[in-house]
mmCIF file of all heavy atoms in Angstrom:
data_model
loop_
_atom_site.group_PDB
_atom_site.id
_atom_site.type_symbol
_atom_site.label_atom_id
_atom_site.label_comp_id
_atom_site.label_asym_id
_atom_site.label_seq_id
_atom_site.Cartn_x
_atom_site.Cartn_y
_atom_site.Cartn_z
ATOM 1 N N LEU A 47 -2.117 9.309 20.064
ATOM 2 C CA LEU A 47 -1.712 9.069 18.731
ATOM 3 C C LEU A 47 -2.133 10.333 17.830
ATOM 4 O O LEU A 47 -1.381 10.770 17.033
ATOM 5 C CB LEU A 47 -2.237 7.787 18.126
ATOM 6 C CG LEU A 47 -2.004 7.479 16.665
ATOM 7 C CD1 LEU A 47 -0.573 7.493 16.296
ATOM 8 C CD2 LEU A 47 -2.726 6.103 16.301
ATOM 9 N N CYS A 76 -11.654 9.290 13.800
ATOM 10 C CA CYS A 76 -10.173 9.102 13.699
ATOM 11 C C CYS A 76 -9.790 7.608 13.767
ATOM 12 O O CYS A 76 -8.764 7.246 14.234
ATOM 13 C CB CYS A 76 -9.442 9.881 14.875
ATOM 14 S SG CYS A 76 -9.936 9.206 16.492
ATOM 15 N N GLY A 77 -10.698 6.740 13.250
ATOM 16 C CA GLY A 77 -10.396 5.322 13.176
ATOM 17 C C GLY A 77 -9.238 5.048 12.222
ATOM 18 O O GLY A 77 -9.171 5.598 11.155
ATOM 19 N N MET A 78 -8.285 4.228 12.671
ATOM 20 C CA MET A 78 -7.075 3.876 11.763
ATOM 21 C C MET A 78 -6.546 2.629 12.445
ATOM 22 O O MET A 78 -7.013 2.140 13.466
ATOM 23 C CB MET A 78 -6.136 5.074 11.722
ATOM 24 C CG MET A 78 -5.587 5.475 13.026
ATOM 25 S SD MET A 78 -4.592 6.993 12.842
ATOM 26 C CE MET A 78 -5.731 8.193 12.380
ATOM 27 N N ARG A 79 -5.446 2.084 11.820
ATOM 28 C CA ARG A 79 -4.913 0.894 12.428
ATOM 29 C C ARG A 79 -3.509 1.254 13.063
ATOM 30 O O ARG A 79 -2.749 1.994 12.464
ATOM 31 C CB ARG A 79 -4.707 -0.098 11.394
ATOM 32 C CG ARG A 79 -5.860 -1.011 11.186
ATOM 33 C CD ARG A 79 -5.626 -2.022 10.143
ATOM 34 N NE ARG A 79 -6.618 -3.101 10.187
ATOM 35 C CZ ARG A 79 -6.838 -4.021 9.220
ATOM 36 N NH1 ARG A 79 -6.057 -3.900 8.087
ATOM 37 N NH2 ARG A 79 -7.749 -4.937 9.318
ATOM 38 N N MET A 80 -3.207 0.676 14.188
ATOM 39 C CA MET A 80 -1.923 0.828 14.852
ATOM 40 C C MET A 80 -1.384 -0.643 14.926
ATOM 41 O O MET A 80 -2.078 -1.503 15.637
ATOM 42 C CB MET A 80 -2.005 1.492 16.188
ATOM 43 C CG MET A 80 -0.744 1.658 16.891
ATOM 44 S SD MET A 80 -0.900 2.115 18.615
ATOM 45 C CE MET A 80 -0.553 3.788 18.483
ATOM 46 N N ASP A 81 -0.294 -0.864 14.344
ATOM 47 C CA ASP A 81 0.302 -2.248 14.335
ATOM 48 C C ASP A 81 -0.769 -3.281 13.890
ATOM 49 O O ASP A 81 -0.887 -4.386 14.504
ATOM 50 C CB ASP A 81 0.867 -2.592 15.759
ATOM 51 C CG ASP A 81 2.090 -1.885 15.992
ATOM 52 O OD1 ASP A 81 2.820 -1.456 15.138
ATOM 53 O OD2 ASP A 81 2.267 -1.579 17.279
ATOM 54 N N GLY A 82 -1.562 -2.900 12.899
ATOM 55 C CA GLY A 82 -2.524 -3.869 12.310
ATOM 56 C C GLY A 82 -3.848 -4.060 13.079
ATOM 57 O O GLY A 82 -4.714 -4.824 12.672
ATOM 58 N N ARG A 83 -4.015 -3.291 14.127
ATOM 59 C CA ARG A 83 -5.272 -3.375 14.967
ATOM 60 C C ARG A 83 -6.000 -1.971 14.892
ATOM 61 O O ARG A 83 -5.379 -0.973 15.151
ATOM 62 C CB ARG A 83 -5.013 -3.687 16.331
ATOM 63 C CG ARG A 83 -4.394 -5.101 16.583
ATOM 64 C CD ARG A 83 -3.472 -5.189 17.744
ATOM 65 N NE ARG A 83 -4.083 -4.758 18.967
ATOM 66 C CZ ARG A 83 -4.629 -5.533 19.935
ATOM 67 N NH1 ARG A 83 -4.697 -6.780 19.764
ATOM 68 N NH2 ARG A 83 -5.155 -4.961 20.996
ATOM 69 N N ALA A 84 -7.276 -2.081 14.579
ATOM 70 C CA ALA A 84 -8.026 -0.795 14.512
ATOM 71 C C ALA A 84 -8.116 -0.087 15.886
ATOM 72 O O ALA A 84 -8.410 -0.769 16.881
ATOM 73 C CB ALA A 84 -9.483 -1.094 13.988
ATOM 74 N N VAL A 85 -7.954 1.193 15.845
ATOM 75 C CA VAL A 85 -7.949 2.008 17.130
ATOM 76 C C VAL A 85 -8.579 3.350 16.776
ATOM 77 O O VAL A 85 -8.648 3.771 15.607
ATOM 78 C CB VAL A 85 -6.516 2.231 17.725
ATOM 79 C CG1 VAL A 85 -5.876 0.970 18.197
ATOM 80 C CG2 VAL A 85 -5.590 2.959 16.739
ATOM 81 N N LEU A 86 -9.031 4.031 17.797
ATOM 82 C CA LEU A 86 -9.331 5.431 17.703
ATOM 83 C C LEU A 86 -8.075 6.225 18.023
ATOM 84 O O LEU A 86 -7.511 6.054 19.125
ATOM 85 C CB LEU A 86 -10.407 5.930 18.632
ATOM 86 C CG LEU A 86 -11.858 5.532 18.327
ATOM 87 C CD1 LEU A 86 -12.767 6.052 19.433
ATOM 88 C CD2 LEU A 86 -12.290 5.980 16.944
ATOM 89 N N ALA A 87 -7.570 7.027 17.110
ATOM 90 C CA ALA A 87 -6.251 7.764 17.330
ATOM 91 C C ALA A 87 -6.298 8.649 18.570
ATOM 92 O O ALA A 87 -5.321 8.781 19.255
ATOM 93 C CB ALA A 87 -5.878 8.502 16.127
ATOM 94 N N GLU A 90 -5.581 6.437 21.969
ATOM 95 C CA GLU A 90 -4.304 5.643 22.226
ATOM 96 C C GLU A 90 -3.234 6.568 22.803
ATOM 97 O O GLU A 90 -2.682 7.404 22.134
ATOM 98 C CB GLU A 90 -3.806 5.155 20.954
ATOM 99 C CG GLU A 90 -4.709 4.027 20.266
ATOM 100 C CD GLU A 90 -4.963 2.893 21.296
ATOM 101 O OE1 GLU A 90 -3.916 2.292 21.719
ATOM 102 O OE2 GLU A 90 -6.132 2.623 21.514
ATOM 103 N N PRO A 102 5.416 2.111 16.560
ATOM 104 C CA PRO A 102 4.237 1.477 15.865
ATOM 105 C C PRO A 102 4.027 1.839 14.397
ATOM 106 O O PRO A 102 4.551 2.894 13.971
ATOM 107 C CB PRO A 102 3.085 2.091 16.724
ATOM 108 C CG PRO A 102 3.556 3.286 17.307
ATOM 109 C CD PRO A 102 5.075 3.175 17.439
ATOM 110 N N VAL A 103 3.414 0.911 13.728
ATOM 111 C CA VAL A 103 3.111 1.148 12.303
ATOM 112 C C VAL A 103 1.700 1.587 12.162
ATOM 113 O O VAL A 103 0.759 0.983 12.644
ATOM 114 C CB VAL A 103 3.356 -0.126 11.437
ATOM 115 C CG1 VAL A 103 2.926 0.077 10.031
ATOM 116 C CG2 VAL A 103 4.847 -0.562 11.506
ATOM 117 N N ILE A 104 1.433 2.778 11.589
ATOM 118 C CA ILE A 104 0.062 3.274 11.408
ATOM 119 C C ILE A 104 -0.328 3.212 9.965
ATOM 120 O O ILE A 104 0.354 3.494 9.089
ATOM 121 C CB ILE A 104 0.072 4.842 11.831
ATOM 122 C CG1 ILE A 104 0.875 5.025 13.172
ATOM 123 C CG2 ILE A 104 -1.311 5.323 11.923
ATOM 124 C CD1 ILE A 104 0.280 4.315 14.389
ATOM 125 N N SER A 105 -1.644 2.656 9.850
ATOM 126 C CA SER A 105 -2.089 2.503 8.460
ATOM 127 C C SER A 105 -3.583 2.781 8.490
ATOM 128 O O SER A 105 -4.273 2.938 9.585
ATOM 129 C CB SER A 105 -1.831 1.046 7.969
ATOM 130 O OG SER A 105 -2.316 0.138 8.842
ATOM 131 N N ALA A 106 -4.154 2.792 7.268
ATOM 132 C CA ALA A 106 -5.593 3.051 7.190
ATOM 133 C C ALA A 106 -6.404 1.816 7.667
ATOM 134 O O ALA A 106 -5.862 0.714 7.669
ATOM 135 C CB ALA A 106 -5.973 3.362 5.735
ATOM 136 N N MET A 107 -7.671 2.038 8.066
ATOM 137 C CA MET A 107 -8.572 0.901 8.417
ATOM 138 C C MET A 107 -8.672 -0.045 7.297
ATOM 139 O O MET A 107 -8.593 0.239 6.127
ATOM 140 C CB MET A 107 -9.945 1.389 8.848
ATOM 141 C CG MET A 107 -9.957 2.206 10.157
ATOM 142 S SD MET A 107 -11.652 2.363 10.823
ATOM 143 C CE MET A 107 -12.394 3.399 9.639
ATOM 144 N N GLY A 108 -9.008 -1.293 7.688
ATOM 145 C CA GLY A 108 -9.202 -2.309 6.688
ATOM 146 C C GLY A 108 -10.603 -2.470 6.154
ATOM 147 O O GLY A 108 -11.574 -1.749 6.737
ATOM 148 N N GLY A 166 -16.307 2.699 12.650
ATOM 149 C CA GLY A 166 -15.819 1.695 11.673
ATOM 150 C C GLY A 166 -14.739 0.800 12.061
ATOM 151 O O GLY A 166 -14.265 -0.095 11.308
ATOM 152 N N CYS A 167 -14.289 0.875 13.343
ATOM 153 C CA CYS A 167 -13.162 0.041 13.803
ATOM 154 C C CYS A 167 -13.559 -1.491 13.706
ATOM 155 O O CYS A 167 -12.728 -2.265 13.403
ATOM 156 C CB CYS A 167 -12.748 0.381 15.255
ATOM 157 S SG CYS A 167 -11.871 1.931 15.309
ATOM 158 N N CYS A 168 -14.843 -1.830 14.044
ATOM 159 C CA CYS A 168 -15.235 -3.189 14.009
ATOM 160 C C CYS A 168 -15.211 -3.669 12.509
ATOM 161 O O CYS A 168 -14.823 -4.773 12.252
ATOM 162 C CB CYS A 168 -16.606 -3.289 14.614
ATOM 163 S SG CYS A 168 -17.818 -2.258 13.853
ATOM 164 N N SER A 170 -13.412 -2.640 10.138
ATOM 165 C CA SER A 170 -11.979 -2.779 9.743
ATOM 166 C C SER A 170 -11.482 -4.220 9.943
ATOM 167 O O SER A 170 -10.691 -4.713 9.251
ATOM 168 C CB SER A 170 -11.222 -1.719 10.439
ATOM 169 O OG SER A 170 -9.912 -2.018 10.347
ATOM 170 N N GLU A 171 -11.997 -4.783 11.168
ATOM 171 C CA GLU A 171 -11.406 -6.065 11.558
ATOM 172 C C GLU A 171 -12.269 -7.230 11.178
ATOM 173 O O GLU A 171 -11.953 -8.416 11.556
ATOM 174 C CB GLU A 171 -11.277 -6.056 13.137
ATOM 175 C CG GLU A 171 -10.606 -4.816 13.652
ATOM 176 C CD GLU A 171 -9.170 -4.545 13.110
ATOM 177 O OE1 GLU A 171 -8.207 -5.061 13.703
ATOM 178 O OE2 GLU A 171 -9.173 -3.794 12.135
ATOM 179 N N PHE A 223 -13.639 -10.513 16.569
ATOM 180 C CA PHE A 223 -12.701 -9.341 16.485
ATOM 181 C C PHE A 223 -13.422 -8.049 16.622
ATOM 182 O O PHE A 223 -12.814 -7.068 17.208
ATOM 183 C CB PHE A 223 -11.918 -9.462 15.108
ATOM 184 C CG PHE A 223 -10.897 -10.438 15.031
ATOM 185 C CD1 PHE A 223 -10.355 -10.818 13.720
ATOM 186 C CD2 PHE A 223 -10.390 -11.133 16.128
ATOM 187 C CE1 PHE A 223 -9.390 -11.732 13.645
ATOM 188 C CE2 PHE A 223 -9.460 -12.099 15.973
ATOM 189 C CZ PHE A 223 -8.889 -12.448 14.808
ATOM 190 N N GLU A 226 -13.632 -7.395 20.255
ATOM 191 C CA GLU A 226 -12.293 -7.054 20.749
ATOM 192 C C GLU A 226 -11.810 -5.622 20.496
ATOM 193 O O GLU A 226 -11.248 -4.950 21.274
ATOM 194 C CB GLU A 226 -11.312 -8.069 20.199
ATOM 195 C CG GLU A 226 -9.960 -8.014 20.879
ATOM 196 C CD GLU A 226 -8.940 -8.798 20.081
ATOM 197 O OE1 GLU A 226 -9.183 -10.000 19.859
ATOM 198 O OE2 GLU A 226 -7.893 -8.206 19.741
ATOM 199 N N ARG A 227 -12.105 -5.211 19.260
ATOM 200 C CA ARG A 227 -11.561 -3.897 18.781
ATOM 201 C C ARG A 227 -12.521 -2.732 18.998
ATOM 202 O O ARG A 227 -12.103 -1.546 18.744
ATOM 203 C CB ARG A 227 -11.170 -3.937 17.323
ATOM 204 C CG ARG A 227 -10.066 -4.891 17.043
ATOM 205 C CD ARG A 227 -8.844 -4.846 17.953
ATOM 206 N NE ARG A 227 -8.325 -3.502 18.146
ATOM 207 C CZ ARG A 227 -7.678 -3.192 19.250
ATOM 208 N NH1 ARG A 227 -7.436 -4.016 20.229
ATOM 209 N NH2 ARG A 227 -7.232 -1.979 19.420
ATOM 210 N N CYS A 228 -13.797 -2.874 19.278
ATOM 211 C CA CYS A 228 -14.726 -1.757 19.398
ATOM 212 C C CYS A 228 -14.203 -0.875 20.598
ATOM 213 O O CYS A 228 -14.143 -1.320 21.673
ATOM 214 C CB CYS A 228 -16.161 -2.229 19.652
ATOM 215 S SG CYS A 228 -17.264 -0.847 20.058
#
Side-chain angles (χ1 to χ4, degrees):
L47 173 58
C76 67
M78 57 188 69
R79 274 178 164 166
M80 181 190 259
D81 291 329
R83 290 148 55 98
V85 295
L86 285 182
E90 295 301 305
V103 175
I104 312 300
S105 55
M107 287 197 293
C167 286
C168 54
S170 165
E171 312 302 272
F223 285 167
E226 189 193 306
R227 295 316 308 157
C228 171

